[in-house]
Amino acid sequence: MRHRQLLTYIPAAILASASLGYAQENSISAGEFRRLDAAHWASGTASVVETGDSGGISVLFESGFKAAPGPDLRVVLSKNPNPASGKDLGEYTELGLLSATEGSQSYEIPAGVSLESLGSVVIYCKAYDIIFSTATLAPAEPAE
């Protein structure tokens, strides 16, 4: 009798979700993405978290994250808690290209970024200067 081996491919975004329980315990701030219009939107939670013993800080999108597809989508941090257009972003910190329009993902915050000044996590189309969605950050509840 011949046996076949089943190989399973697990996307990195799903593997990242396994760490979210740990991340929630180390959450600094979080916010829910909100829809800006019918064509430009995202939903789900963005959390700013401490990532392990190294003292690194990252932005995590939980497994329920979804976003409308678009060109040149970036994940950025803005001091403005409610930017509605590119001009509202002001000075911002770009964390990188949006890695997927669905699922868990993580973006490292560069050293030197002031966490106290973070107002929002934004999905931003840099090519057309359009905000797809904003998650206004609020301090996380202390773990009990």
Side-chain angles (χ1 to χ4, degrees):
M1 178 187 252
R2 198 169 189 194
H3 295 286
R4 290 187 182 182
Q5 192 174 31
L6 176 63
L7 299 176
T8 305
Y9 172 72
I10 302 173
I14 292 173
L15 291 173
S17 69
S19 69
L20 287 178
Y22 172 79
Q24 289 172 340
E25 292 176 14
N26 297 304
S27 185
I28 297 167
S29 59
E32 293 289 323
F33 284 105
R34 62 186 177 279
R35 182 178 290 264
L36 294 180
D37 62 43
H40 308 105
W41 59 271
S43 62
T45 302
S47 300
V48 176
V49 298
E50 275 188 77
T51 52
D53 297 332
S54 66
I57 306 291
S58 294
V59 171
L60 295 179
F61 296 170
E62 294 184 8
S63 61
F65 172 78
K66 290 185 179 184
D72 198 28
L73 294 180
R74 311 292 175 122
V75 177
V76 303
L77 300 173
S78 176
K79 293 179 181 181
N80 185 341
N82 295 303
S85 68
K87 67 179 180 170
D88 294 339
L89 280 176
E91 199 173 312
Y92 63 87
T93 301
E94 185 175 316
L95 302 182
L97 288 168
L98 183 67
S99 60
T101 57
E102 288 189 36
S104 300
Q105 41 204 288
S106 176
Y107 301 89
E108 187 175 340
I109 297 176
V113 172
S114 170
L115 300 180
E116 292 78 28
S117 69
L118 296 183
S120 59
V121 177
V122 180
I123 308 299
Y124 174 57
C125 172
K126 193 171 185 178
Y128 293 99
D129 196 29
I130 297 171
I131 291 180
F132 271 51
S133 189
T134 299
T136 301
L137 296 172
E141 298 291 322
E144 294 181 21

